[in-house]
Amino acid sequence: MNIFNILFSVLIFSFILFHSNALNVTHDSRSIIIDGNHRIILSGSIHYPRSTAQMWPDLIRKAKEGGLDAVETYVFWNAHEPARRQYDFNGNHDIIRFLKTIQDQGLYAILRIGPYTCAEWNYGGFPVWLHNMPGVSLRTKNDVFMNEMKNFTTLIVDMVKKEKLFASQGGNIILAQVENEYGNVMDPYGDDGKSYINWCAQMADSLDIGVPWIMCQQAAAPKPMLETCNGWYCDEYKPKDPNTPKIWTENWTGWFKSWGGADPLRTPEDLAYSVARFFQKGGTLQNYYMYHGGTNFGRTSGGPYITTTYDYNAPLDEYGNLNQPKWGHLKQLHDVLHSIEHTLTNGDIINEKLSNLVMATIYQTKEKSSCFLSNTNTKIDANVNFGGIKFFVPAWSISILPDCREEAYNTAKVSTQTSLMVKKLNKAEDEPSSLKWTWRPELIESASVQGRGDVSLNKIVDQKDMANDASGYLWYMTSIDVAKNDPMLNGTVTLRVNDTGHVLHAFFNGEYIGSQWSKYGNNNVTYVFERNINLSLGKNLISLLSVTIGFKNYGPMFDLVGAGITSPIELVLNKNVVKDLSSNKWTYKVGLNGISNKFFDIDYASKSSSKWVSDPIPIYRNFTWYKTTFKAPLENKPVVVDLLGLGKGMAWVNGHNLGRYWPSYIADKQLCKTKTCDYRGRYSNSKCVSKCGEPTQRCIVEEFGGNPSGVQFQTVEIGSVCINTHEGKEVKLSCQDRPISKIKFASFGSPQGVCGSFDKSEYDSKVDALSILEKECVGKESCSFKITEDKFGTPSCEVKKLAVEAVCEDFTF
């Protein structure tokens, strides 16, 4: 049995088959043309550093099973070149292995080199050393920056060429991207911005990769670049060049989370609506951002204040599980779209208004016609007659008729099961009572008491400039000499510190005096920290620990936004500034002792075991490291660490940095404005949020003090599965690798509620649906059946639905 070590430092609170022959990838205004075949492409984003290499085959297999043709990924410059000309393509950064894994599954790849990525990734994917190069200006006409960008872009292209992975070489990469969303921010850069984007196009084209280059959110992109669209909806988007295909590089499947924010949800009905609407209106390629979001390991999350989880409410969840019903509902859509691909890419297009609510779009070839019926009204359902046949089209939905006569799919009619995931205690042993914790203090005295550091300057320095992203922690220290006749000696003095919006921990003469950070919604706003202090005669020491929560990753000149403490730092007496400390001698120290000495490393931990104390275990103690071991779970399930009870910090397992955690940061209850989520109408990241009044994230060095006794190691699995869909549908209930143990609820007619809380209505059939499904499903891993009145009886309502909740067996070892 493997043994895992985990450490916490506590600071303040505490298909497509490929051949060796080259593929000719071109396009027209309606399709991507691959070796003469006109294609629509369904793609999904999976970022290789946000998962582990061991997860890649399973994630990509599930993407293929979900009906995707391609997998898209960014290339993260700061992951691969953390220091100038020092490269990392190992482990989770092995991009060639990732691209070959995609190829092994028979899928195309879309390579978004950037190398600016945004992606809620630290500093937008730029290495901080780039920012600190003399004479550099990022993302504009600047020789220093452009030389570095060309060097890295060429490096990636040459690596890919060497492995013959571009389609022009017989590989699977059909598109590549340079720059990213520059059109959104280009205006402030003026003429230099225009020159820069033209240079990007010329530089990329000169690399001769043999497949098209794209630029997303770059209207009228310089030739030969293809412009593309990003957003929740791109059906109305039209490329400036009529010969450019309509490409949607980012269809946001949900949204990212920020510390203090609620859980975002984009319903499967609305996401499917956006995709169907895009192809109804001439779409060619659509990419889900994200298809699997994953985890921001270490300090890779940007923002600031982006969480460690990057689940994104994607079709595959953070742990790689199917997010049902989203994954299954989209798979059904993909299957239908693929079945009419030839008609979509070759047919004549006719639009016919059926009513004030419904529009029909007919794609017609000599051999076949395929139709879309769209109801864009956000409230009113529609019954229409089309071709002599009656159709029910719910509000904000699209029906697809592959033969223009029979509905094969409607975006609002979800027949896929809902899977309710649960986290269960590690079954290798009882937890948390069996966890044996040891601890040791973080040695802060050299900074907070003695003021010792690495370098001294007579000014306040931006944290990016001083720390160079080697650590998220930076000490700012200065001393003040107070004479006998100084009025500050006998008065109440306020220490006033300006901060760029990250976390600040303050000490005066070795004593902790307080902390501050930005509140949710103001994560990019400078705040002022103020605390009263009592000065002593002679030398007084101010020690300030700045902790970054991800560097800014988006916006014009985002790279120039400060991090850490900023001028002025002042002493205030009776509301008057009596001393500006900004030009004092400031001593700086990068990092923490425990991180610098790798307390989290397995070898170090074993060699220094005598320095770890087992009893008593302090709780709510500032600046403390905790360590424990746990056994690997007996089941092959994703493992998460629930850190409820701790405050804020970082966690390591076997020396690997899982990332930041902050369970003490509670999502504002005011963010959840409604209890129900209506899929109808345009989505935004403030719609359909949940888990307000709860920690933004619980599962991932403890800064706000906490109690480790509540930490749990858990596995993630399906707890129960539900269906809630219309008569006539063939449905399936599946617990995957475990049997169905119980039918908790079943009723046919007009049952109310959602999965986990269904109720019968007075209109439901009197036939005992629960008993029927108990006989058919219990004891099986899955069961399939068709919803009919013959089977479940006749309810007294017009629209008939079956709701079922089945419980998956909980194995006990």
Side-chain angles (χ1 to χ4, degrees), residues 454-629:
D454 304 318
V455 64
S456 296
L457 297 168
N458 291 99
K459 61 179 180 179
I460 303 298
V461 180
D462 186 277
Q463 188 158 347
K464 290 197 302 294
D465 301 338
M466 180 58 67
N468 210 29
D469 204 28
S471 172
Y473 300 94
L474 179 65
W475 288 94
Y476 297 67
M477 298 164 284
T478 194
S479 61
I480 314 152
D481 287 320
V482 178
K484 289 182 179 180
N485 59 350
D486 196 317
M488 292 191 298
L489 188 59
N490 299 314
T492 299
V493 177
T494 300
L495 172 65
R496 179 184 294 167
V497 182
N498 288 275
D499 195 280
T500 57
H502 294 264
V503 176
L504 170 66
H505 305 304
F507 299 81
F508 179 70
N509 287 339
E511 298 294 325
Y512 168 69
I513 59 172
S515 299
Q516 194 164 330
W517 58 93
S518 289
K519 301 306 179 184
Y520 178 78
N522 295 309
N523 298 150
N524 297 315
V525 178
T526 298
Y527 62 77
V528 177
F529 170 89
E530 293 184 323
R531 288 295 187 278
N532 292 335
I533 58 175
N534 294 313
L535 293 167
S536 300
L537 180 65
K539 184 179 178 179
N540 294 263
L541 179 65
I542 296 172
S543 301
L544 307 172
L545 178 61
S546 174
V547 188
T548 56
I549 314 297
F551 294 141
K552 192 169 176 63
N553 57 266
Y554 181 75
M557 290 86 169
F558 76 87
D559 53 297
L560 301 181
V561 174
I565 296 166
T566 187
S567 297
I569 298 178
E570 302 163 322
L571 295 179
V572 179
L573 179 63
N574 299 326
K575 298 184 179 180
N576 295 312
V577 176
V578 294
K579 193 171 185 61
D580 186 343
L581 305 176
S582 302
S583 55
N584 258 35
K585 179 184 176 181
W586 285 90
T587 300
Y588 297 89
K589 180 179 176 58
V590 177
L592 296 174
N593 177 66
I595 295 178
S596 299
N597 288 292
K598 298 184 178 181
F599 283 10
F600 48 82
D601 184 82
I602 298 174
D603 292 336
Y604 180 90
S606 60
K607 292 175 182 177
S608 62
S609 58
S610 62
K611 296 182 180 180
W612 293 85
V613 182
S614 59
D615 192 56
I617 300 299
I619 61 175
Y620 306 110
R621 183 187 186 278
N622 299 345
F623 292 92
T624 304
W625 287 80
Y626 293 119
K627 180 181 72 170
T628 191
T629 61

Side-chain angles (χ1 to χ4, degrees), residues 635-688:
E635 299 175 271
N636 185 23
K637 301 289 184 182
V639 180
V640 299
V641 187
D642 187 342
L643 301 175
L644 190 66
L646 295 181
K648 176 191 175 296
M650 303 193 82
W652 287 260
V653 172
N654 286 350
H656 299 286
N657 192 333
L658 301 184
R660 301 180 181 96
Y661 64 88
W662 203 342
S664 61
Y665 208 146
I666 306 300
D668 191 334
K669 292 183 179 180
Q670 300 300 317
L671 296 174
C672 296
K673 299 176 181 178
T674 59
K675 292 183 179 180
T676 59
C677 177
D678 189 345
Y679 75 87
R680 300 173 300 180
R682 296 183 71 85
Y683 178 76
S684 73
N685 58 304
S686 62
K687 181 180 180 180
C688 294

Side-chain angles (χ1 to χ4, degrees), residues 4-10 13-14 423-426 429-438 617-620 624-631 639-653 658 661-663 697-700 702 705-715:
F4 294 89
N5 292 278
I6 186 161
L7 292 149
F8 309 96
S9 83
V10 181
F13 301 92
S14 275
K423 295 182 176 72
K424 297 187 175 182
L425 288 178
N426 180 7
E429 55 187 332
D430 294 333
E431 295 187 12
S433 59
S434 65
L435 294 178
K436 299 184 182 300
W437 292 94
T438 58
I617 300 299
I619 61 175
Y620 306 110
T624 304
W625 287 80
Y626 293 119
K627 180 181 72 170
T628 191
T629 61
F630 69 102
K631 294 180 181 178
V639 180
V640 299
V641 187
D642 187 342
L643 301 175
L644 190 66
L646 295 181
K648 176 191 175 296
M650 303 193 82
W652 287 260
V653 172
L658 301 184
Y661 64 88
W662 203 342
Q697 183 179 353
R698 287 166 46 176
C699 304
I700 295 308
E702 169 58 39
N707 185 347
S709 66
V711 173
Q712 295 179 350
F713 297 90
Q714 303 169 329
T715 57

Side-chain angles (χ1 to χ4, degrees), residues 115-238:
Y116 166 70
T117 63
C118 182
E120 293 73 58
W121 188 269
N122 190 43
Y123 212 41
F126 284 153
V128 173
W129 59 258
L130 182 67
H131 162 81
N132 290 327
M133 291 185 71
V136 75
S137 292
L138 308 190
R139 301 185 82 193
T140 190
K141 183 183 178 182
N142 175 270
D143 288 343
V144 178
F145 170 67
M146 293 190 300
N147 287 338
E148 294 299 323
M149 175 176 169
K150 183 177 181 179
N151 181 80
F152 180 75
T153 306
T154 303
L155 173 73
I156 298 299
V157 167
D158 287 349
M159 289 176 62
V160 174
K161 279 185 175 182
K162 182 181 178 181
E163 301 297 329
K164 297 185 179 350
L165 290 173
F166 287 112
S168 56
Q169 302 174 289
N172 63 326
I173 300 173
I174 58 172
L175 295 172
Q177 179 179 307
V178 67
E179 248 296 341
N180 185 51
E181 296 184 329
Y182 193 68
N184 293 349
V185 301
M186 190 169 72
D187 285 351
Y189 294 91
D191 290 340
D192 282 351
K194 295 175 183 177
S195 297
Y196 164 67
I197 204 66
N198 287 327
W199 172 85
C200 287
Q202 295 163 8
M203 182 271 292
D205 190 43
S206 72
L207 297 175
D208 192 26
I209 62 176
V211 301
W213 284 94
I214 60 175
M215 283 183 170
C216 69
Q217 292 295 97
Q218 193 68 46
K223 298 298 181 181
M225 306 293 109
L226 302 178
E227 65 169 275
T228 74
C229 178
N230 290 352
W232 282 302
Y233 307 92
C234 282
D235 50 290
E236 298 298 333
Y237 161 72
K238 292 182 180 179

Side-chain angles (χ1 to χ4, degrees), residues 73 79 124 138 144 197 251 343 366 384 403 409 489 508 518 605 619 777 780:
T73 189
L138 308 190
V144 178
I197 204 66
N251 181 355
T343 312
K366 292 180 180 179
V384 296
D403 58 0
Y409 184 87
L489 188 59
F508 179 70
S518 289
I619 61 175
C777 300
K780 301 177 181 178

